[in-house]
């Protein structure tokens, strides 16, 4: 395997202004499946920070009272305690839209204020295009006395309500508002990566580039005045970055990002950056056997096109896709516009791949739908990506996103051969949970793409038949349901309202987004 066959080269990233290396080697990357797993590890790492250590984080939403474990501490208490022990704490939190639009402006401000009160600093960052958001979710911990302990957490999990769920999927006791179908404690499926090794320094560069952006955090004069009195506009210089942490494992890591081409250009991406989109085009051009995808949205025919082209090119290629059954608050905002984007995307995939494409959603063992917030893609058990980006137009063109692609130096010895350990192990871990497969022999059988495809189809069919029969008798194992797609004609009738036809596109963003495609 040549790394450059799967990772973008510097030229293919198409952003010479960034300080990121093309990729880094010698890393150890571990998937932390479920928010409860991530939060428990984050708690331990935060408690180990001491004077002159460094804590950097970026988040789309932060709830100061969210508990990291059942008995605490809260997010704000854990971050504040690190600052009070002398660690340098800096945060970038998206300011968010108005709370009356069901976003998180108040919560994000409160988290920033609590960090400031503990002698840290968190900026409420709106340095995006109008209607866009800072959607990156990562935490960096660097240790003044022991660089081998340095770690970066990168993925799709925010430091907020609803995320602290586990494999049972009974939901976080502290929940966000969601559609009633998800119940009072919405079950939540998500994933974050824990990275040790030189790639930690690359994640730190991403934070530093945003922190040092000279543009004002907001263009609103009233907000700027309020931030000044709350000391939320203070951006002291960051400490000089130390050398990269020592080598820790066998993983090659490439950071992939999205930044829009902003009017007041980002110094580190004057024409924007589309490396997430470029990477998908590259790896899907190599896909031969199986694409496994978990995604929150799956909107937009433009973004789904490289997936469809791969299916048309490779007659043996299969795709397994796991999505939520019902939209969340973003889908509520977009209304029927979001549905038409998904219907058209699924229709394009089905025309390209037919019965080689299978789409599922999840439920827990009590029958409650599980909200799939994960953003994971595994191609041919070689290339794996986990990040903040969804398969929709705004994640590929408009919002700021950060994703981590991984290649392993180690080949997996199990047939079929040619797979790499990290990618295959990640896929098997996710599939085994959805199938309720606990045996090692059962997991090994899933190595074969055709067997895995058939195992998902069989499990979903059995559970669907049980529901259709009135849930009589023992519930079959597994958590997969075939994903129902509304018909295009019904959604188009709903789209007759001018608000939806002209104000919102199928990605749930203003029409300007449609003019910013550049993959």
């Amino acid at each position: 395997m040549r790394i450059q066959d799967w990772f973008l080269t510097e030229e293919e990233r198409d952003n010479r202004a960034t300080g990121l290396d093309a990729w880094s080697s010698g890393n150890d990357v571990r998937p932390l499946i479920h928010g409860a797993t991530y939060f428990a590890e984050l708690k331990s790492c935060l408690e180990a920070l001491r004077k002159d250590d460094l804590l950097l984080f970026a988040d789309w939403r932060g709830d100061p009272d969210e508990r990291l474990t059942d008995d605490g501490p809260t997010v704000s208490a854990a971050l504040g305690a690190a600052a009070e022990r002398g660690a340098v704490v800096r945060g970038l939190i998206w300011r968010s839209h108005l709370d009356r639009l069901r976003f998180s402006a108040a919560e994000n401000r409160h988290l920033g204020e609590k960090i400031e009160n503990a002698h840290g600093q968190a900026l409420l960052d709106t340095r995006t295009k109008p209607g866009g958001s800072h959607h990156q979710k990562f935490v960096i911990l660097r240790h003044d006395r022991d660089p081998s302990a340095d770690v970066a957490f990168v993925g799709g999990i925010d430091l907020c309500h609803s995320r602290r769920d586990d494999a049972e999927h009974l939901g976080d006791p502290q929940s966000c508002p969601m559609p009633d179908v998800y119940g009072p404690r919405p079950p939540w499926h998500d994933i974050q990566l824990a990275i040790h090794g030189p790639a930690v320094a690359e994640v730190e560069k991403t934070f530093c580039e945003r922190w040092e952006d000279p543009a004002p955090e907001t263009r609103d004069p009233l907000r700027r005045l309020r931030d000044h009195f709350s000391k939320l506009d203070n951006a002291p210089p960051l400490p000089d970055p130390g050398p990269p942490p020592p080598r820790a494992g066998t993983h090659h890591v490439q950071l992939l990002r999205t930044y829009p081409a902003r009017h007041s250009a980002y110094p580190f991406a004057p024409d924007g950056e589309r490396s997430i989109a470029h990477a998908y085009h590259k790896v899907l051009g190599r896909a031969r056997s199986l694409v496994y995808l978990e995604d929150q949205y799956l909107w937009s025919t433009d973004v789904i096109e490289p997936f469809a082209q791969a299916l048309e090119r490779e007659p043996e290629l299969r795709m397994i896709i796991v999505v939520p059954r019902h939209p969340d608050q973003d889908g509520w905002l977009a209304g029927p516009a979001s549905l038409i984007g998904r219907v058209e995307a699924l229709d394009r995939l089905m025309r390209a791949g037919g019965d080689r494409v299978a789409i599922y959603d999840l439920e827990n063992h009590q029958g409650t739908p599980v909200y799939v917030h994960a953003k994971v893609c595994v191609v041919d058990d070689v290339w794996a990506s986990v990040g903040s980006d969804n398969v929709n137009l705004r994640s590929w063109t408009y919002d700021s996103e950060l994703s981590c692609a991984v290649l392993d130096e180690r080949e997996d010895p199990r047939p079929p051969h040619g797979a790499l350990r990290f990618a295959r192990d990640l896929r098997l871990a996710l599939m085994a949970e959805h199938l309720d497969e606990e045996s090692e022999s059962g997991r090994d059988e899933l190595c074969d793409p055709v067997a895995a495809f058939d195992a998902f189809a069989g499990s979903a069919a059995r559970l669907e038949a049980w529901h259709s029969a009135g849930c009589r008798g023992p519930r079959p194992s597994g958590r997969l349901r075939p994903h129902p797609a509304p018909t295009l004609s019904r959604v188009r009738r709903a789209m007759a309202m001018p608000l939806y036809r002209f104000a919102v596109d199928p990605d749930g963003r203003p029409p300007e987004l449609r003019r910013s495609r550049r993959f």
Side-chain angles (χ1 to χ4, degrees):
M1 184 204 69
R2 297 195 315 160
I3 299 174
Q4 61 268 32
D5 289 341
W6 290 90
F7 279 174
L8 299 177
T9 63
E10 289 185 0
E11 292 73 21
E12 289 169 330
R13 181 182 291 273
D14 194 25
N15 178 16
R16 295 186 177 277
T18 182
L20 289 186
D21 292 341
W23 58 77
S24 64
S25 300
N27 301 288
D28 177 71
V29 184
R30 290 180 297 109
L32 305 177
I33 302 173
H34 313 305
T37 306
Y38 168 42
F39 283 1
E41 183 157 335
L42 178 62
K43 172 190 172 183
S44 297
C45 291
L46 291 175
E47 290 175 345
L49 290 178
R50 295 294 180 263
K51 188 176 186 301
D52 298 327
D53 291 341
L54 181 65
L55 163 58
L56 309 174
F57 73 95
D59 215 353
W60 177 79
R61 175 182 174 127
D63 287 316
D65 64 334
E66 172 66 15
R67 293 188 296 274
L68 295 179
T69 60
D70 286 339
D71 55 355
T74 64
V75 167
S76 61
L79 299 177
E84 290 168 352
R85 291 193 301 271
V88 177
V89 177
R90 301 288 183 265
L92 289 165
I93 311 171
W94 181 48
R95 182 183 295 270
S96 188
H97 300 312
L98 297 176
D99 284 311
R100 64 174 175 266
L101 294 180
R102 298 191 182 183
F103 282 107
S104 51
E107 290 84 355
N108 290 358
R109 168 170 285 277
H110 294 159
L111 178 58
E113 290 170 346
K114 287 181 178 295
I115 292 172
E116 172 68 29
N117 291 339
H119 310 294
Q121 186 64 42
L123 299 181
L124 299 178
D125 191 359
T126 57
R127 292 172 290 189
T128 61
K129 295 195 74 168
S133 70
H134 279 305
H135 198 239
Q136 297 172 342
K137 311 144 195 297
F138 62 88
V139 177
I140 306 156
L141 306 175
R142 302 209 63 180
H143 301 79
D144 186 61
R145 299 163 189 82
D146 183 14
S148 66
D150 291 355
V151 61
F153 299 100
V154 176
I157 303 180
D158 300 280
L159 302 176
C160 71
H161 295 164
S162 279
R163 274 50 170 184
R164 189 167 59 87
D165 201 357
D166 58 23
E168 293 299 311
H169 288 310
L170 300 179
D172 186 337
Q174 298 171 273
S175 61
C176 288
M178 291 283 285
D180 291 342
V181 70
Y182 288 106
R185 287 174 52 170
W188 199 276
H189 175 65
D190 223 331
I191 183 170
Q192 198 88 348
L193 297 178
I195 306 168
H196 290 84
V200 174
E202 298 301 299
V203 185
E204 184 180 6
K205 290 177 186 177
T206 293
F207 183 93
C208 292
E209 286 179 340
R210 277 186 56 190
W211 184 267
E212 294 166 357
D213 183 353
E217 306 86 62
T218 176
R219 293 177 291 273
D220 186 323
L222 294 179
R223 285 180 167 179
R224 293 177 70 175
L225 184 64
R226 182 181 181 186
D227 287 355
H228 179 72
F229 284 111
S230 300
K231 299 182 180 180
L232 291 175
D233 61 348
N234 182 29
L238 295 170
D240 291 336
R247 294 173 66 93
T250 62
H251 299 139
H252 308 289
V253 168
Q254 180 165 68
L255 296 187
L256 304 169
R257 309 181 307 183
T258 297
Y259 288 110
R262 204 178 63 185
H263 178 67
S264 55
Y266 291 111
F268 51 87
D271 297 318
E273 182 173 321
R274 304 285 184 271
S275 55
I276 289 173
H278 296 333
Y280 270 97
H281 277 264
K282 182 167 185 171
V283 300
L284 290 171
R286 297 185 59 85
R288 298 294 183 269
S289 59
L290 179 64
V291 174
Y292 179 80
L293 179 70
E294 295 186 355
D295 193 75
Q296 184 182 2
Y297 292 122
L298 198 69
W299 295 349
S300 173
T301 52
D302 297 304
V303 171
I304 215 67
E305 187 60 25
F307 293 85
Q309 291 175 359
L311 287 164
E312 291 172 337
R313 185 191 68 246
E314 296 294 331
E316 299 301 317
L317 178 64
R318 289 167 171 77
M319 288 189 184
I320 298 174
I321 302 172
V322 181
V323 295
R325 175 165 290 222
H326 306 281
D328 70 344
Q329 62 184 27
D330 284 350
W332 174 86
L333 283 169
S338 67
L339 294 179
I340 196 170
R342 174 173 285 186
V343 170
E344 291 181 339
L346 298 186
D347 179 67
R348 175 70 180 103
L349 283 179
M350 293 302 180
R351 284 188 286 110
D355 59 6
R356 293 180 289 122
V357 179
I359 304 171
Y360 303 98
D361 49 63
L362 302 174
E363 68 178 30
N364 64 17
H365 292 151
Q366 286 69 42
T368 306
V370 175
Y371 189 71
V372 178
H373 191 259
K375 304 97 167 53
V376 183
C377 186
V378 180
V379 177
D380 288 353
D381 285 352
V382 173
W383 180 91
S385 174
V386 176
S388 66
D389 57 294
N390 295 295
V391 179
N392 66 356
L393 195 59
R394 82 188 206 211
S395 279
W396 282 24
T397 63
Y398 210 75
D399 292 347
S400 73
E401 307 283 4
L402 178 66
S403 187
C404 177
V406 181
L407 296 172
D408 203 328
E409 294 176 2
R410 304 166 299 166
E411 288 193 10
D412 190 292
R414 296 167 290 186
H417 300 295
L420 303 182
R421 285 294 301 272
F422 179 87
R424 177 168 280 177
D425 285 348
L426 174 60
R427 176 177 70 83
L428 295 185
L430 293 167
M431 294 185 97
E433 177 183 311
H434 304 332
L435 292 167
D436 286 332
E437 179 57 70
E438 298 179 358
S439 70
E440 285 299 321
S441 61
R443 290 193 180 204
D444 289 347
E445 291 176 5
L446 297 174
C447 290
D448 180 78
V450 177
F453 191 89
D454 292 344
F456 261 46
S459 178
R462 289 188 293 274
L463 187 54
E464 190 71 10
W466 181 75
H467 278 283
S468 298
C471 304
R472 291 192 297 269
R475 182 188 185 278
S477 62
R479 315 177 190 201
L480 296 159
R481 300 284 301 275
H483 183 67
T487 63
L488 192 57
S489 59
R490 190 193 325 167
V491 175
R492 281 180 169 155
R493 285 196 299 271
M495 286 285 291
M497 295 174 61
L499 169 66
Y500 293 132
R501 281 192 294 163
F502 302 113
V504 183
D505 80 347
D507 274 321
R509 284 300 187 215
E512 180 182 0
L513 194 153
R514 283 288 184 190
R515 299 194 294 271
S516 61
R517 303 174 192 161
R518 185 174 66 81
F519 297 160

